[in-house]
Amino acid sequence: VDALVKSLDIRDTAGERERRLFKLTFADPGSVSNAIRQAFQPVGRTPSPRDTVTTADDWTTNSVVVTAAADLMPEIESLVQ
């Protein structure tokens, strides 16, 4: 039983979350932040922690801070650019 518990009690790195700052040139942070949240909002189901995408607008630096699963970041980056 101890061996089974040890084999199951491992850290799941597939859902690792990361935080990135996207510096904007022309767009306003509020619009970009809303677009990201809407694009990654699960429809018709309860979101899992992996699905959760949070954003914060930073108007002083004209940027958006995004926290999401690491594997979603390339898709978010392509949306911002």
Side-chain angles (χ1 to χ4, degrees):
V1 172
D2 287 338
L4 178 60
V5 169
K6 286 180 182 180
S7 70
L8 295 174
D9 190 25
I10 58 171
R11 186 173 181 183
D12 180 15
T13 58
E16 286 292 315
R17 297 177 60 75
E18 69 179 53
R19 182 173 296 125
R20 289 204 35 206
L21 176 82
F22 293 96
K23 183 83 173 124
L24 307 172
T25 305
F26 301 108
D28 71 85
S31 296
V32 173
S33 186
N34 285 335
I36 292 169
R37 281 195 307 269
Q38 288 178 2
F40 291 92
Q41 181 178 358
V43 178
R45 62 182 173 83
T46 303
S48 71
R50 183 207 169 278
D51 295 332
T52 304
V53 175
T54 58
T55 62
D57 322 335
D58 186 349
W59 290 85
T60 58
T61 61
N62 202 44
S63 56
V64 176
V65 179
V66 179
T67 305
D71 59 332
L72 292 177
M73 282 299 178
E75 191 175 348
I76 293 169
E77 184 175 8
S78 69
L79 181 66
V80 172
Q81 296 175 350

